[in-house]
Amino acid sequence: MQRSRSGWAAAVGFTVAMILLVTLAVSPGLDLFGLVVVATIAGAVSIFYFAFASGRFFTLAFANYLALYACVFVFFAQVNFLPNVSPWAINVGFMLPILTFMLGALRNRPQIQSIVSAEHLREQRSFWRPFLWLLPVLALGAATFAVPGHGLSTAWYDALFLGATGTTALIVLFVSREVAIFLLDTGLLFEDFFKRISRLVVPTFAFLTFYTLLIVVFACLYRIVDVYTVAPHFRIAGEVREIAFLESLYFSVITLSTVGYGDIVPTSDPIRVIAAVQIVLGVLLLLFGFTEIRRYTVEQEERERERQRRRSE
């Protein structure tokens, strides 16, 4: 039970953080809609976690898709309905598809639970089958673009909005089993991906060590050249002046990544030469770094296969 509580806390914590991030980005401050979003999604994740004994990786994938749903919902609501629709209709419309999905998933709990217990990917006969249900939902979303501009009353906007979200909820209810199993498969893939990523921690940190070393060394060079010579060597936000150390760090980062936003521009040949050398070294580091990470991964996979072969003998 302790393990379950710990996993639930981590899952819900990630979900709330993810949804808070989306909600605060869409509308500053937590209004009633923001609280409804957080509470609804956290509740859905909690119910699914305990009802199906799903792992934390599935929960992370589930939370990500719910956050994506929140983004799409806010987009269509803002573009086609706000500010004409009532706040209560917005809150109810957001909750409807999630609630019907949970009801449908609980209704098909035995079949879905068998997938969870199997702990392996379900064989799909058709790649597009899990996504076919999106077609009527997308068509419905496209149809809502015809709503604005007709001078309708708030009551009509509320009715059209709830009609659209209610229809989406019915579609989700009928395909909830397929969607839930697809999400479980996604969670298993996410878990496998995470295990592969965890094997790259050591070579990745070694690569980042060299990467940050180049950033710091060249940032110091930019600063030293600019300080210990007579004329400034940078144009910063349109002004030719001496570069600060934090600005030189920033310039070193964008130079090594070859981004070049243009807010800091070298104005002298010595600095241009140093920047060119840094860019070349950065490209070489990327080439050799990715090659070494790949080599390390292959070696780890070979060792893992060798251990499995020895255990099977």
Side-chain angles (χ1 to χ4, degrees):
M1 179 63 69
Q2 186 64 33
R3 180 181 178 183
S4 177
R5 289 178 179 177
S6 175
W8 172 81
V12 174
F14 174 85
T15 301
V16 171
M18 185 80 173
I19 301 306
L20 276 174
L21 185 66
V22 173
T23 304
L24 292 175
V26 170
S27 56
L30 270 181
D31 53 9
L32 178 60
F33 175 69
L35 294 175
V36 168
V37 170
V38 173
T40 303
I41 295 182
V45 170
S46 301
I47 293 172
F48 215 105
Y49 183 87
F50 286 110
F52 298 98
S54 54
R56 65 181 183 274
F57 291 99
F58 162 76
T59 308
L60 296 180
F62 189 28
N64 177 65
Y65 284 115
L66 288 176
L68 180 61
Y69 160 70
C71 294
V72 174
F73 176 87
V74 170
F75 168 77
F76 280 102
Q78 287 188 345
V79 171
N80 296 330
F81 293 96
L82 291 179
N84 301 303
V85 69
S86 303
W88 69 266
I90 292 290
N91 296 329
V92 172
F94 177 81
M95 291 187 293
L96 278 177
I98 298 178
L99 293 178
T100 55
F101 168 73
M102 296 307 301
L103 289 174
L106 292 173
R107 184 186 62 183
N108 295 283
R109 183 179 179 183
Q111 297 174 335
I112 298 174
Q113 187 63 49
S114 65
I115 302 296
V116 178
S117 304
E119 295 185 349
H120 60 78
L121 292 177
R122 182 184 58 146
E123 293 183 0
Q124 297 281 357
R125 292 184 179 181
S126 173
F127 173 80
W128 296 105
R129 184 177 177 183
F131 304 100
L132 290 178
W133 65 275
L134 286 174
L135 295 178
V137 174
L138 293 175
L140 182 63
T144 61
F145 283 96
V147 173
H150 294 284
L152 302 175
S153 64
T154 300
W156 270 104
Y157 271 102
D158 291 346
L160 291 173
F161 182 76
L162 292 177
T165 55
T167 304
T168 302
L170 287 176
I171 296 173
V172 171
L173 176 64
F174 285 111
V175 299
S176 56
R177 175 183 174 275
E178 286 295 323
V179 174
I181 294 176
F182 170 74
L183 291 175
L184 291 169
D185 287 344
T186 303
L188 292 174
L189 286 173
F190 185 32
E191 182 175 3
D192 183 64
F193 176 75
F194 183 82
K195 289 178 180 178
R196 291 178 180 272
I197 289 294
S198 63
R199 299 172 185 171
L200 302 179
V201 171
V202 173
T204 300
F205 270 94
F207 170 79
L208 289 177
T209 300
F210 284 104
Y211 198 82
T212 54
L213 177 64
L214 284 178
I215 289 175
V216 173
V217 168
F218 278 89
C220 293
L221 289 177
Y222 295 134
R223 172 69 174 164
I224 290 171
V225 171
D226 206 28
V227 169
Y228 292 98
T229 54
V230 177
H233 296 268
F234 292 91
R235 179 181 291 107
I236 304 170
E239 178 186 359
V240 178
R241 61 174 174 84
E242 183 180 290
I243 192 170
F245 180 66
L246 291 180
E247 291 172 335
S248 67
L249 276 174
Y250 166 73
F251 179 72
S252 181
V253 171
I254 63 175
T255 300
L256 190 60
S257 60
T258 67
V259 174
Y261 292 114
D263 49 350
I264 300 179
V265 180
T267 58
S268 67
D269 291 335
I271 294 297
R272 293 191 182 105
V273 170
I274 296 174
V277 171
Q278 185 182 14
I279 292 173
V280 172
L281 290 178
V283 172
L284 291 176
L285 177 61
L286 289 175
L287 292 175
F288 286 111
F290 289 147
T291 301
E292 287 300 309
I293 291 175
R294 175 58 184 166
R295 183 184 63 82
Y296 181 87
T297 304
V298 172
E299 290 179 354
Q300 290 294 103
E301 291 176 350
E302 291 177 351
R303 291 173 185 173
E304 182 65 25
R305 285 195 294 266
E306 182 65 20
R307 283 193 293 266
Q308 292 179 357
R309 186 184 63 81
R310 290 177 180 178
R311 282 196 293 264
S312 62
E313 290 179 351

